[in-house]
Amino acid sequence: MFNYWTEGGFIAWGQRPDPNTGRTPLQLFMDGRAQAAYDTRVFDLWSRIISGGPPAEAAARKGEKLTAQDFVDIGNWVAQELAKDDVWVVLMPSGQFLKPFVMGLDYSPTWQIVFGNNKQRLYVNVQTEQGKQLYADVLSGAAVYPDEYSANFTKGHNLLLARDAELRRQGLELIVKALEVNPSPDPMVSML
């Protein structure tokens, strides 16, 4: 699992470890101990991935703003990097939603949102069996959510990305319902 470093400890704490090995089901890429408990190579790799890697670095060197194509390139690069470590799930806090890493995920067909609210987004790699199944559960309505807002926002957001006009219409209806439940920026951004 790739996560923002400040939330790693909570993610580990919230899991039930294997009684024989003590390992949690989702192994963390990084946690709040960052460079103190992890090899500096791991911390450096985490830092490079979270920054958007070479595509983001190239734009920064030129002093240019990132373009839609840059976000596509970031998403492709991130997908390749995370696949090297068998990462199939990413959790990011709202403070990262407009950063290159998350924007790259948003532009990537490999990564899809399976949970979203105004505080967190959970992405899965839909090219993995686990990610494909969870994403299918979101679209079919089988996924379980803690509240109406996150259920409507997540499914609606994904349906708005469909090619089929009827699915996009259904997605818009769900996004409007999410906005009615919780008037907030994320549904508005999805509508735009």
Side-chain angles (χ1 to χ4, degrees):
M1 173 179 207
F2 193 88
N3 55 281
Y4 200 66
W5 69 276
T6 56
E7 297 170 313
F10 182 76
I11 296 165
W13 175 80
Q15 297 184 64
R16 203 171 268 159
D18 181 285
N20 298 318
T21 66
R23 288 176 58 94
T24 55
L26 289 173
Q27 292 292 292
L28 301 175
F29 202 96
M30 184 64 56
D31 66 29
R33 298 171 295 164
Q35 67 272 34
Y38 289 82
D39 184 290
T40 55
R41 286 175 289 154
V42 175
F43 178 73
D44 291 344
L45 177 59
W46 179 89
S47 297
R48 188 158 196 229
I49 292 170
I50 199 76
S51 73
E57 293 164 3
R61 276 194 302 275
K62 294 176 189 173
E64 298 174 350
K65 285 187 169 188
L66 294 170
T67 65
Q69 184 58 52
D70 291 328
F71 291 126
V72 169
D73 295 343
I74 289 167
N76 291 336
W77 181 83
V78 164
Q80 291 173 353
E81 287 301 305
L82 294 180
K84 291 177 185 176
D85 288 304
D86 296 323
V87 173
W88 70 276
V89 63
V90 170
L91 180 66
M92 286 289 127
S94 62
Q96 298 299 304
F97 289 177
L98 298 177
K99 303 288 179 149
F101 174 79
V102 173
M103 295 288 289
L105 294 179
D106 287 336
Y107 276 79
S108 173
T110 303
W111 292 90
Q112 299 298 322
I113 295 174
V114 293
F115 173 84
N117 65 18
N118 294 318
K119 296 178 181 162
Q120 300 285 333
R121 286 190 189 153
L122 184 70
Y123 295 83
V124 294
N125 179 335
V126 294
Q127 294 179 346
T128 65
E129 286 306 313
Q130 311 98 303
K132 191 182 306 180
Q133 182 59 56
L134 191 49
Y135 185 63
D137 288 348
V138 168
L139 296 179
S140 72
V144 177
Y145 290 93
D147 54 49
E148 182 183 358
Y149 171 83
S150 58
N152 289 335
F153 173 77
T154 304
K155 186 172 182 181
H157 172 84
N158 284 298
L159 290 177
L160 282 174
L161 301 175
R163 292 183 187 264
D164 179 84
E166 175 56 24
L167 291 176
R168 287 195 311 269
R169 186 191 62 71
Q170 291 172 23
L172 181 59
E173 287 176 5
L174 289 169
I175 290 294
V176 168
K177 286 180 183 178
L179 184 63
E180 289 169 352
V181 169
N182 183 355
S184 54
D186 281 351
M188 294 298 294
V189 170
S190 288
M191 281 190 258
L192 292 172

